[in-house]
Amino acid sequence: MLIRLRTPLLILLLLVSVGCSTTGPQHPTPFEAMEELYDSPRDFTRPEDIDQLYHSRSWLVARKLKIDPIEFGNISKAPVQHARTKILGTSREDAVRSLAAKIWMIEHAQHTVDITYYIFKRDLVGYAILGALCNAVKRGVDIRIMVDSLGSFHMTHSELKALESCAEEAGFIHDANGHPTTHKARVQSVIINALTSPKSWVNRRSHDKLLIVDGDFPGKDMIITGGRNISVDYYGISNDGSSNPDTYVDLEILLRSSEEAIENDDVSVGEVSGIYYTLLFLHKGNRRIRPAKRVEDDVVQTDPYFHQRRKAQDRLAFLKSLPKMQAVFAEMPTYLSEGFNDSQVRIAHELGNLTSKDVVANATAIKSQNENSIGALLWNFMTESAEPDQTTGTFRIISPYLFIAKYKDKEGNLIWDGAKELKKLLAEYPDKNLEVITNSALTSDNFFTQSIIDMDMAPRLLLSPELREAWLSGLDSGEFNPEVVESEEWKKQVNNPRIKIYQTGKIDSVLLGGTEHYGKLHAKFIFDDEFGFVGTSNFDYRSRLYNNEMGFYFLDPSLSMELSKSYGILKAMSYRWGSPEWLEMRKTIIESGTFKGYTTKTQRGYAKFLKSTGLVKQF
C-alpha cells in the first residue's frame, strides 16, 4: 500500500524528462526551471537558484508549454513524506483560529505566497486577505493567486486587479538569508477554467482551498487545506464583526516541513505542495487577468483601483481590531510553531477531472490513470489494509454531501456499485466497522444532494430491498407509517452494529423554535486509528467526476486522535439515521411550513428525478 511505504519516494520531477523547448537562456519555462531546481541540491542564497525559482513560478500560456501540466500531474507519483501536522478542527474557536492563522501566515511570509480557493468572496474576510497580500508584495513576497471562475464568479474581478496593482510598489524578493535579490516581487492572478476561455470546460471546476507560504524554504513553509473557503460564512463571524453561530462547521489540516526533511535536505511537503500548485496554475483552461493601466495626462493621474486597495486595508485593520481576533492573533507565534505531530503524508488530487472525457462510463478507468487519485488511493487502502494487525477497528467518513457511487457503462450495464462493494468488504472482515457523519435535512444547504443522501445513500447501505421500497413509497405509506418505521425489522436494520450513519442537527435547533445552533456541516475527512485524509473532496459524484479536489493522506495515530476529537463533537450534535429522534425531527421540519419543510417533504420526488434523468451525476 503506497501510503505505508517507509522508504522515501523520489520527487515527481526527478525521473521525468519534460522535454520543453527553451524560450531563451535567461527565460526557461516553468517546467525547465523546476527540473533544474530539483535536479541538484537547492541553495537559495545563490542567484542562479533564485533565478530558477522565479521562473518556475512564472505564468506561461498553454501554447508555449510542450507538456500538459494536468497529464503530468496524473502520471507523476507523489512521494510519501514526513511532515509536522495539526488539525484546525470543527469548534467555533478553531474557526476563528483558522482565519487568524491564514492572515498571520501571509503577514509573516518572507519569500512566497500561493493561494487558491473555490470561493473567494468580496466580504470582510476576503478583503482582509487581499489587504494582507497587498502588504506582502510590497515587502518583496512573490504572490500567486487563483480563484475558480464559477465558485468566485465576478464580471470584472476588480478586487484581484487591485491586488495586482499593489505590485507597482513591490519590493525585491529576498534570498534564504533575507537579502534582496534582483527580482521584484509580483502578483500573478489567474481565473481557473475561466468561463470566457475557449479551452475551458464550463462543467469542470477547481474545488481547491489551499494556502502555501514559503513553500520552497523548508523550516519556514506552512500549508493549510481543508473545507474552509475565503468568506465570513466559514469563520463564525459577520461582516460587521459580530459572531455568527450558524456558519459552516468545517475542518482543515496545517502542515510544515519535518525536521528530518530539513536536516537531510529532502524534498519538503512545502515544495511538493508548490509543485502541485504550479500544475494547476498552468492549466490550459485558465485565464491570466491583469489590472488596467493608469490613465495619465498633464493634469491628473487616474488610479482605477485606489478605492479597492483602501477598502482591503480598512477591512484588514477592522478585522484585526476585533477583541476576539486580537486574542487569537496573540497566540499565533506559539500556535504555528508548537504542538505539531510527526506524520507521514502524501498529497492527493483529482487534476485529471479537469480534462477527462466520458467521465461516468469510464470513471473507474480514469481514476486508475491518476497515480494520485483521492478516490483510488482510498479504495486501495480499504482493500489492502487487511494485515493481521489491521483487521479490526472503525473507519469513519465525514462529508456534507456523501454519495455512494453507482456507475454504468454506455450500454447501461452496471460496472460498479459502491454499496455492494462496501458490504462485501465488511463481510470479508467481520471486525471492521463503518461510521458516517453527514448533514440532515435541517443542516444541509443543498436540498438536492440531501435528497440523495436520505433516499439513496443511507437506504442502500442500511435497508433491505423490501424495506427500502417501503421507505421510498411516500410519506404516509413509508416515513409516517408505524408499520414500517416502528417495525422490528426497521429497528434491526437501522441499528446495524457495523454500519452507523449519523446526521447533524437536533430538534432543539433554533430553526425549529429551540435554543441551539448547529450550523451547516462542511468538513470533509476520513480516518481510522492511524490512517486518514483531510482535504476538499465531498465524496459526491461532482467531487469524484468533475471537480479537481486535493488534500493529504496521512499515517499517524496522533493525528487520528486529533480528528477523533472533532468527530466526537459532530457525533454529539447528531441523530442516527432512522432512529425515533431522527424521524421526529424530520416530521417537525416537514410540519414547520418553511422552505426546509417543503424540500424535506418532497425529497423522494427530487431523488427520483435526479436519478432518472442522470442529473444526480452533476451533484
Side-chain angles (χ1 to χ4, degrees):
M1 186 174 58
L2 293 175
I3 192 71
R4 295 182 183 274
L5 291 178
R6 300 287 178 174
T7 55
L9 298 177
L10 292 179
I11 187 61
L12 64 166
L13 289 167
L14 286 178
L15 299 180
V16 182
S17 175
V18 297
C20 295
S21 63
T22 311
T23 58
Q26 301 303 316
H27 300 287
T29 68
F31 282 109
E32 290 173 322
M34 282 196 295
E35 188 178 31
E36 183 69 24
L37 274 178
Y38 294 105
D39 207 21
S40 59
R42 298 161 301 291
D43 180 358
F44 291 122
T45 63
R46 300 185 306 194
E48 57 267 33
D49 282 358
I50 291 291
D51 289 344
Q52 297 297 344
L53 177 63
Y54 182 88
H55 293 303
S56 73
R57 297 175 51 80
S58 298
W59 164 260
L60 195 65
V61 294
R63 67 177 180 274
K64 295 185 179 180
L65 296 173
K66 301 301 182 181
I67 186 170
D68 182 349
I70 304 304
E71 178 62 21
F72 187 63
N74 280 348
I75 65 175
S76 305
K77 185 184 298 182
V80 175
Q81 302 174 282
H82 279 275
R84 293 178 288 162
T85 63
K86 65 166 52 178
I87 297 298
L88 284 156
T90 55
S91 70
R92 294 169 186 171
E93 293 77 14
D94 265 355
V96 176
R97 190 171 289 116
S98 169
L99 177 55
K102 291 180 176 74
I103 292 176
W104 195 95
M105 288 165 58
I106 295 169
E107 291 190 328
H108 290 79
Q110 298 180 42
H111 308 282
T112 61
V113 171
D114 294 327
I115 181 170
T116 179
Y117 282 86
Y118 175 68
I119 296 174
F120 199 116
K121 283 193 177 180
R122 295 155 62 110
D123 60 13
L124 172 61
V125 169
Y127 273 109
I129 295 289
L130 292 172
L133 291 169
C134 181
N135 295 338
V137 73
K138 292 178 181 180
R139 296 196 313 269
V141 177
D142 199 51
I143 293 169
R144 296 186 292 185
I145 181 169
M146 294 187 287
V147 299
D148 184 78
S149 59
L150 190 61
S152 301
F153 177 77
H154 194 269
M155 291 298 293
T156 66
H157 281 296
S158 57
E159 80 287 358
L160 297 183
K161 295 175 181 177
L163 171 62
E164 189 153 346
S165 72
C166 294
E168 294 175 7
E169 302 176 45
F172 287 91
I173 298 174
H174 290 72
D175 65 17
N177 290 331
H179 301 140
T181 68
T182 59
H183 293 286
K184 287 193 72 174
R186 304 161 292 181
V187 176
Q188 299 177 89
S189 302
V190 163
I191 308 300
I192 301 175
N193 258 353
L195 300 177
T196 57
S197 171
K199 296 182 179 179
S200 170
W201 292 7
V202 174
N203 200 29
R204 307 305 177 89
R205 310 276 32 108
S206 174
H207 201 231
D208 288 38
K209 301 120 172 99
L210 178 64
L211 172 63
I212 310 168
V213 167
D214 293 335
D216 285 281
F217 295 80
K220 299 177 182 178
D221 57 341
M222 290 183 277
I223 304 103
I224 287 181
T225 190
R228 292 185 177 103
N229 284 290
I230 301 301
S231 164
V232 293
D233 297 332
Y234 297 84
Y235 301 98
I237 192 172
S238 300
N239 276 311
D240 63 2
S242 61
S243 295
N244 182 356
D246 281 323
T247 52
Y248 289 102
V249 179
D250 227 318
L251 181 141
E252 295 160 298
I253 186 170
L254 172 64
L255 306 99
R256 305 199 65 173
S257 57
S258 67
E259 298 294 340
E260 179 180 327
I262 298 170
E263 293 174 1
N264 298 335
D265 196 30
D266 293 336
V267 176
S268 70
V269 66
E271 290 171 310
V272 171
S273 300
I275 292 169
Y276 163 80
Y277 189 100
T278 295
L279 298 179
L280 181 59
F281 187 69
L282 297 174
H283 171 46
K284 64 183 178 182
N286 298 350
R287 181 168 67 91
R288 176 83 163 84
I289 60 171
R290 292 179 170 85
K293 294 183 179 180
R294 298 191 185 200
V295 178
E296 300 184 35
D297 56 33
D298 294 336
V299 180
V300 65
Q301 176 174 289
T302 303
D303 181 353
Y305 304 109
F306 171 78
H307 294 292
Q308 288 270 16
R309 291 197 306 272
R310 185 172 66 179
K311 184 175 182 179
Q313 295 303 322
D314 288 346
R315 295 288 80 192
L316 176 62
F318 173 71
L319 183 66
K320 294 177 67 175
S321 72
L322 298 174
K324 60 185 172 185
M325 294 301 299
Q326 288 181 336
V328 179
F329 270 112
E331 301 173 356
M332 282 299 109
T334 301
Y335 180 80
L336 293 173
S337 61
E338 299 178 4
F340 283 78
N341 306 288
D342 181 13
S343 309
Q344 290 185 75
V345 302
R346 175 176 174 177
I347 196 170
H349 60 76
E350 300 293 358
L351 283 173
N353 285 355
L354 295 175
T355 57
S356 56
K357 300 178 180 179
D358 296 327
V359 295
V360 177
N362 292 330
T364 55
I366 289 169
K367 298 309 168 192
S368 66
Q369 295 167 7
N370 180 358
E371 291 279 1
N372 311 292
S373 168
I374 296 170
L377 289 174
L378 175 59
W379 188 252
N380 287 344
F381 166 77
M382 294 178 69
T383 56
E384 296 178 15
S385 64
E387 302 158 8
D389 62 339
Q390 292 293 320
T391 56
T392 62
T394 299
F395 194 74
R396 298 177 174 89
I397 304 176
I398 297 84
S399 168
Y401 316 122
L402 178 66
F403 293 177
I404 300 298
K406 180 186 285 187
Y407 300 120
K408 295 181 180 180
D409 61 20
K410 294 180 179 179
E411 286 71 42
N413 301 308
L414 182 66
I415 57 177
W416 174 263
D417 185 333
K420 182 178 179 180
E421 294 298 327
L422 277 172
K423 291 177 181 179
K424 179 181 177 182
L425 190 65
L426 289 172
E428 189 174 352
Y429 302 109
D431 291 323
K432 282 282 191 182
N433 302 308
L434 173 67
E435 291 187 4
V436 170
I437 296 181
T438 187
N439 273 306
S440 68
L442 181 71
T443 59
S444 179
D445 67 341
N446 189 320
F447 58 86
F448 286 115
T449 58
Q450 194 62 39
S451 72
I452 298 299
I453 291 171
D454 290 330
M455 301 300 149
D456 184 78
M457 184 274 285
R460 283 170 61 204
L461 285 179
L462 293 175
L463 303 182
S464 65
E466 296 77 17
L467 206 51
R468 187 161 66 244
E469 182 180 358
W471 169 253
L472 295 175
S473 65
L475 282 175
D476 293 332
S477 58
E479 184 166 351
F480 291 170
N481 185 357
E483 293 184 5
V484 174
V485 297
E486 294 180 14
S487 67
E488 291 303 313
E489 194 60 30
W490 175 272
K491 294 175 184 178
K492 178 182 177 181
Q493 292 184 29
V494 299
N495 289 304
N496 187 318
R498 301 188 57 207
I499 303 177
K500 301 177 181 179
I501 300 175
Y502 300 95
Q503 293 191 340
T504 55
K506 293 187 174 182
I507 202 165
D508 59 354
S509 167
V510 294
L511 299 177
L512 298 177
T515 59
E516 295 299 316
H517 296 272
Y518 292 98
K520 300 176 283 287
L521 178 64
H522 199 253
K524 314 103 167 26
F525 61 102
I526 58 179
F527 71 105
D528 65 7
D529 290 341
E530 62 174 347
F531 165 86
F533 172 84
V534 179
T536 69
S537 177
N538 291 313
F539 305 107
D540 54 6
Y541 283 117
R542 174 151 288 282
S543 296
R544 293 187 179 105
L545 303 176
Y546 297 102
N547 286 347
N548 178 46
E549 308 281 357
M550 63 85 56
F552 286 89
Y553 280 100
F554 69 84
L555 183 64
D556 178 14
S558 298
L559 198 58
S560 285
M561 284 293 294
E562 283 198 43
L563 288 175
S564 183
K565 295 176 184 177
S566 288
Y567 182 85
I569 293 173
L570 295 175
K571 187 174 177 180
M573 54 188 276
S574 303
Y575 289 140
R576 191 165 176 179
W577 193 95
S579 67
E581 298 84 1
W582 180 79
L583 289 166
E584 180 186 6
M585 181 180 71
R586 283 179 58 85
K587 187 173 183 179
T588 304
I589 297 170
I590 290 170
E591 294 175 348
S592 67
T594 62
F595 182 73
K596 276 188 178 293
Y598 175 77
T599 55
T600 304
K601 181 180 180 179
T602 52
Q603 275 187 333
R604 289 162 180 80
Y606 292 133
K608 183 178 180 179
F609 170 76
L610 292 174
K611 289 191 290 183
S612 64
T613 60
L615 289 174
V616 66
K617 298 298 193 298
Q618 301 298 322
F619 288 86

